Amino acid sequence: MWEASPLTYVALIIAVLLAIFPIAWSFIVASRDNSSVYKIPPPLVPGGEFAANTQRLLANDQAHFLIGLANSIFVSSVVTISVVLFSTLAGFAFAKLRFKGANALLLIIIVTMMIPTQLGYIPLYILMIQLGWLGSLQAVIVPFLVKGFGVFMMRQYAMSAVPDELIEAARMDGCSTWRIYWNVVLPTLRPAAAVLGLLTFMETWNEFLWPYLVLDGDTPTIQYSLKILATGNYTTDYVQVFTGTALAIVPLLLVFIAFGRQIIGGIMEGSVKA
Amino acid sequence: MSVNTHAAGMPRHAASPPPLDPGQRRKQARQVRLGRLDLKMSPYLYVAPFFILFAVFGFFPLIYTGWVSMREWGLIKGDQGFVGLQNFQEVLADANFWNAMLNTFGIFVVATVPQLLLALMLANWLNRKLRFRTALRMGILLPNITSVAAVGIVFGFIFADRYGLANWVLQSLSLDPVSWRGSRWASWTAIAFMVDWRWTGYNALIYLAAMQAIPRDLYESASLDGASPTRQFWQLTVPLIQPTILFTVIISTIGGMQLFTEPLMFNYGAAGSGSGLENFQTIAMYIYTTTFEGNFKYGLGSAMSWLLFMLIIFFALINFLLVRRSLKGSVK
């Protein structure tokens, strides 16, 4: 591999700074008073108002920020657990179990990955009306409990990561298929399942359009709360908007700092296989 | 649940297996049957959740969209029945639809071309012996983990007409400030900026992964032939990762055609509400306003959704054919 020249470092560091700036800026503004939004040049060091701004944000009775936060944690967790569970189950079946129609079913799953989700939003919306789910969290959870991409990813991983001998040995020892999944396959799939879980959690956390369509302002997700903040009657209090933006990023930032290496590995590995 | 668990456990307790009485024999036979059932049915049970949930919440809506698109259907009037292709005709005759189409394409081109070029360059830089490798990769991926809604808010302020950061930079370079929502090009540029900020690093990592799969010795022989690094990049690296480039172009096309949240937040953004919407209203936004605001014209919205879907497939195919042809050319 070539040595990196100092110029390469300079270019990359500029790129990283540009990437970080808008996020850092939202934190800086969130820690200052209202006039800082209009400061020219923009403030580049944090102030001491973060706690006060957060308090004002939490007291905002339109944005329901805490409810949005709690809802997002709940919704993202349920969807993540479900996607990981069903993806590893189905991925295991496709990779290691023999059954009639497996190839055709797998093909269907691959095709589903190419359908843009937005195409189904109108009838899905009508369906939600008919189920009476508008305004409740089921509407943002149930349609997303499975993911074709997840099944495919787990299948690819299980093909190489789970040795056939291990499964045969477990069978000889009298394990049922479920026990084999739970005690042998699942632990082996853990690294890939973790990446799938992280990606699913982030995706669900960041989802904007669908929650905005089917929920109402009293039970928002966090992204919906942000939208209310940015467009509501409080728009003169821009620092509050920035505080919300910054706080909404914090959980993902923590996840990213803790698992960034795995997430990057997952993205890079997934792309080579695709 | 299965016979085998039990049968394997038994001999451990008895030196020699005791003769089975009829009750035990029946039990064992039942367990054998259960074991076979387990082997046979488990795979279907394990893939069933995906197919059941997808059928209800993925496939059914897709077909239903087609059905709704051929009906007159609004919130107040309700379902008025079959109207054939009338919705499609109405959409195709709608000037707002074509305006939205122009904006969608415009933003897509303005965003995607620099984004992928920049990602290629970033990947090329990252594909060297680097200190702080993980930190640099995490740095450029960081924008991708943030939510579009949050990005839209922050960039709404960056591209505010007065007190906006972008205009401040322009003015410090003694250029004229820009009315970011006031003209087509300005709003396209601002929205493209948001899209690129979020996705360039992600694409760079995908390119990096592809670059790392290229065998080293190809570069060594190219160097021996006297090819400069720039030449190696354009004549070796880029052709070799062409399938990956195709992949990112298709993904960007699908995403670009559905662009919604960025322009929406840009519209709501600081001092922007409502003004100049025609400059950057995308198809997805237009579908949204047609379907979920005012009269809730489900039929019209569904027709637009299908047109959009066909458009996406059409472009994916064109991309595919183009790249396949150029691949063939390079093999010659």
Side-chain angles (χ1 to χ4, degrees):
Chain A
M1 217 179 280
W2 307 281
E3 286 295 334
S5 68
L7 258 177
T8 311
Y9 281 103
V10 172
L12 281 173
I13 286 168
I14 290 175
V16 169
L17 287 178
L18 282 175
I20 291 177
F21 173 74
I23 298 171
W25 190 51
S26 68
F27 278 95
I28 291 167
V29 174
S31 68
R32 299 174 71 100
D33 65 39
N34 237 318
S35 66
S36 63
V37 180
Y38 307 107
K39 277 249 172 64
I40 295 291
L44 292 174
V45 283
E49 302 285 314
F50 197 78
N53 292 334
T54 306
Q55 246 170 15
R56 224 166 54 246
L57 171 69
L58 298 186
N60 181 329
D61 56 0
Q62 285 200 340
H64 298 298
F65 198 80
L66 277 182
I67 297 176
L69 192 68
N71 282 346
S72 275
I73 290 172
F74 177 71
V75 169
S76 305
S77 305
V78 173
V79 169
T80 301
I81 290 169
S82 163
V83 165
V84 169
L85 179 75
F86 290 141
S87 297
T88 48
L89 260 180
F92 160 52
F94 279 121
K96 296 290 161 181
L97 301 178
R98 260 181 234 142
F99 57 105
K100 269 195 198 120
N103 288 335
L105 291 176
L106 185 67
L107 188 71
I108 293 176
I109 289 187
I110 294 170
V111 171
T112 66
M113 288 161 58
M114 296 171 189
I115 301 169
T117 35
Q118 282 191 15
L119 183 66
Y121 275 6
I122 295 167
L124 203 53
Y125 183 82
I126 298 173
L127 189 66
M128 292 300 136
I129 298 177
Q130 278 156 4
L131 290 170
W133 288 2
L134 277 197
S136 75
L137 292 182
Q138 286 129 286
V140 292
I141 294 176
V142 180
F144 304 99
L145 290 177
V146 293
K147 197 153 103 174
F149 167 74
V151 176
F152 186 68
M153 179 179 167
M154 288 306 121
R155 184 233 175 214
Q156 297 300 88
Y157 191 77
M159 292 280 273
S160 55
V162 185
D164 288 328
E165 295 79 22
L166 204 61
I167 293 176
E168 272 156 34
R171 252 203 228 289
M172 296 292 246
D173 284 350
C175 282
S176 66
T177 312
W178 174 261
R179 289 259 324 246
I180 293 177
Y181 162 75
W182 191 256
N183 290 346
V184 178
V185 175
L186 201 54
T188 324
L189 290 182
R190 219 161 62 187
V195 172
L196 175 66
L198 290 167
L199 294 176
T200 307
F201 190 90
M202 290 184 169
E203 201 179 303
T204 315
W205 184 272
N206 283 333
E207 178 60 43
F208 172 76
L209 176 55
W210 183 248
Y212 178 50
L213 284 179
V214 294
L215 296 179
D216 58 47
D218 292 333
T219 48
T221 59
I222 194 156
Q223 308 304 335
Y224 192 176
S225 289
L226 283 182
K227 158 79 177 48
I228 299 171
L229 262 184
T231 59
N233 294 335
Y234 290 82
T235 32
T236 42
D237 192 352
Y238 288 128
V239 163
Q240 217 185 93
V241 180
F242 274 84
T243 310
T245 308
L247 285 177
I249 296 175
V250 169
L252 290 189
L253 218 50
L254 293 177
V255 171
F256 189 60
I257 289 166
F259 301 103
R261 198 186 287 266
Q262 283 91 322
I263 293 170
I264 288 169
I267 289 172
M268 289 178 63
E269 203 173 312
S271 68
V272 173
K273 277 183 186 152
Chain B
M1 189 178 159
S2 101
V3 58
N4 300 330
T5 322
H6 196 77
M10 269 212 334
R12 267 179 233 144
H13 302 290
S16 65
L20 298 171
D21 64 46
Q24 277 173 310
R25 205 170 291 160
R26 252 199 319 269
K27 202 169 155 193
Q28 209 181 43
R30 209 187 71 216
Q31 282 167 337
V32 169
R33 273 203 306 279
L34 271 178
R36 276 207 203 109
L37 204 65
D38 173 42
L39 266 183
K40 236 186 148 144
M41 291 310 295
S42 289
Y44 294 106
L45 275 178
Y46 297 172
V47 301
F50 176 85
F51 285 97
I52 293 168
L53 283 162
F54 181 78
V56 179
F57 297 106
F59 186 69
F60 168 69
L62 192 73
I63 300 305
Y64 202 40
T65 309
W67 189 74
V68 174
S69 74
M70 286 187 258
R71 303 183 79 81
E72 172 89 37
W73 194 335
L75 180 69
I76 298 159
K77 287 196 217 150
D79 185 0
Q80 301 278 302
F82 185 79
V83 291
L85 295 177
Q86 196 187 302
N87 284 323
F88 289 90
Q89 283 169 351
E90 201 175 318
V91 170
L92 292 176
D94 178 2
N96 284 332
F97 176 77
W98 291 107
N99 180 59
M101 193 79 115
L102 174 69
N103 289 333
T104 309
F105 276 103
I107 296 170
F108 168 68
V109 173
V110 172
T112 308
V113 175
Q115 181 191 144
L116 298 185
L117 284 176
L118 215 70
L120 268 176
M121 278 162 60
L122 272 174
N124 193 33
W125 290 329
L126 283 169
N127 190 21
R128 298 161 195 235
K129 257 189 210 147
L130 280 173
R131 279 163 198 278
F132 316 113
R133 220 174 47 190
T134 307
L136 288 171
R137 287 180 190 179
M138 277 174 74
I140 63 160
L141 187 66
L142 184 66
N144 194 247
I145 68 151
T146 60
S147 79
V148 196
V151 173
I153 290 170
V154 174
F155 276 84
F157 279 91
I158 291 180
F159 290 107
D161 289 354
R162 294 165 66 203
Y163 311 113
L165 205 58
N167 274 345
W168 171 68
V169 172
L170 286 180
Q171 279 169 308
S172 356
L173 300 170
S174 14
L175 294 166
D176 287 333
V178 171
S179 160
W180 290 105
R181 289 158 189 82
S183 84
R184 221 168 260 267
W185 282 106
S187 56
W188 287 2
T189 309
I191 293 166
F193 219 88
M194 292 189 217
V195 177
D196 288 353
W197 180 75
R198 214 162 110 77
W199 288 103
T200 305
Y202 178 86
N203 284 316
L205 287 182
I206 288 183
Y207 290 153
L208 175 63
M211 285 177 188
Q212 289 184 340
I214 300 174
R216 276 305 83 209
D217 46 352
L218 285 180
Y219 290 104
E220 276 156 24
S221 50
S223 297
L224 286 177
D225 289 347
S228 69
T230 321
R231 236 185 104 134
Q232 286 179 28
F233 176 70
W234 288 110
Q235 302 204 332
L236 201 58
T237 310
V238 171
L240 281 172
I241 66 166
Q242 221 165 29
T244 308
I245 296 179
L246 169 70
F247 171 75
T248 56
V249 170
I250 291 177
I251 296 292
S252 309
T253 313
I254 295 175
M257 292 300 116
Q258 298 186 73
L259 194 65
F260 174 77
T261 314
E262 284 95 343
L264 182 82
M265 296 312 281
F266 184 67
N267 182 39
Y268 288 131
S273 228
S275 62
L277 184 60
E278 70 282 357
N279 290 329
F280 55 90
Q281 183 178 52
T282 59
I283 298 195
M285 279 169 92
Y286 192 49
I287 292 177
Y288 167 77
T289 37
T290 310
T291 319
F292 298 105
E293 277 174 7
N295 285 324
F296 287 77
K297 296 173 184 156
Y298 296 131
L300 267 185
S302 297
M304 281 189 229
S305 295
W306 262 101
L307 285 173
L308 182 58
F309 184 44
M310 289 190 272
L311 204 70
I312 289 171
I313 291 180
F314 176 71
F315 276 103
L317 273 179
I318 285 192
N319 284 329
F320 180 75
L321 292 177
L322 276 180
V323 172
R324 211 179 57 167
R325 221 175 67 182
S326 65
L327 271 181
K328 267 192 192 145
S330 67
V331 169
K332 254 190 301 186

